[in-house]
Amino acid sequence: MKIRALEETDLDFVHRLNNEYANMSYWFEEPYQSLSELQSLYKKHILDESERRFIIEEESERIGVVELVEIDFIHSNCEIQIIVDAQYSGKGYASKAFKMAIDYAFLVLNLHKIYLFVDVTNEKAVHIYQKQNFKIEGTLQEHFYTRGQYNDCHVMGLLKKNWISYGGHEPLQ
């Protein structure tokens, strides 16, 4: 498995993922986006230094998307997001791709912190994030509206000093 830069030829795949209600509700976003809008956003952000978008692949098969967004080089942090196509769920792709993106953020971009927002009821995702040593930093009450109601979300963060690197080193205390 690998992650690689998002290419314009991947937009049909991303469009399909972005228009699945189950996927986008976890990102707290509306599952409605035209392919034309996605193409326009791609062209607009192609040279944007505040984003890194990756396709998750297994033997040239697209599995999902992992993104580093809101990259802030002054404060040295970013948000991470991931979607794995439902047909590949439960096979370990999310954990592996998530770790690859984290490694990229810390090793290549030299960031200090990665953060994310996760629905408090999404226990599967919280577990994946905690396995990567993310800590719950707080809970935002009724912060996102999805599936017909307002939902609480955890803000989770990972500091570089607590990151488990390639060598599997224990987090620093």
Side-chain angles (χ1 to χ4, degrees):
M1 193 201 82
K2 68 178 183 177
I3 61 172
R4 62 163 177 79
L6 174 75
E7 298 289 346
E8 193 166 7
T9 55
D10 298 314
L11 295 182
D12 284 337
F13 172 73
V14 173
H15 178 253
R16 183 175 59 78
L17 289 179
N18 284 359
N19 282 285
E20 291 180 17
Y21 189 77
N23 289 339
M24 297 317 289
S25 66
Y26 285 126
W27 275 14
F28 309 111
E29 292 184 16
E30 181 183 9
Y32 174 81
Q33 185 177 56
S34 71
L35 183 57
S36 297
E37 180 183 4
L38 185 60
Q39 290 166 335
S40 176
L41 286 170
Y42 176 83
K43 289 175 181 157
K44 177 181 174 187
H45 293 283
I46 190 72
L47 300 176
D48 190 341
E49 288 295 312
S50 70
E51 301 177 350
R52 300 293 188 282
R53 300 182 190 276
F54 303 97
I55 292 292
I56 306 164
E57 271 189 347
E58 178 70 57
E59 297 179 12
S60 299
E61 187 71 28
R62 295 178 187 112
I63 305 295
V65 178
V66 62
E67 303 179 344
L68 302 172
V69 296
E70 305 296 328
I71 299 170
D72 184 329
F73 289 105
I74 293 173
H75 301 293
S76 195
N77 62 41
C78 73
E79 181 181 353
I80 190 168
Q81 303 174 327
I82 188 167
I83 294 177
V84 172
D85 193 331
Q87 66 182 323
Y88 299 103
S89 182
K91 298 180 181 178
Y93 292 117
S95 292
K96 290 177 190 172
F98 200 69
K99 181 167 182 351
M100 289 177 181
I102 291 167
D103 290 347
Y104 185 91
F106 288 140
L107 291 173
V108 177
L109 300 179
N110 193 31
L111 296 179
H112 175 69
K113 179 180 181 177
I114 303 170
Y115 62 90
L116 58 87
F117 300 94
V118 61
D119 191 312
V120 297
T121 64
N122 190 350
E123 294 173 8
K124 182 178 173 182
V126 171
H127 177 72
I128 289 169
Y129 305 147
Q130 287 175 328
K131 279 178 57 177
Q132 297 290 342
N133 217 27
F134 276 73
K135 305 291 183 225
I136 296 173
E137 297 182 346
T139 302
L140 302 174
Q141 303 296 305
E142 297 184 10
H143 195 72
F144 292 104
Y145 182 82
T146 185
R147 296 181 176 160
Q149 63 187 22
Y150 288 95
N151 296 315
D152 298 349
C153 73
H154 293 310
V155 178
M156 298 182 74
L158 175 63
L159 296 173
K160 188 173 188 177
K161 67 182 181 182
N162 296 331
W163 159 63
I164 300 172
S165 67
Y166 284 110
H169 297 88
E170 291 298 318
L172 300 174
Q173 297 302 324

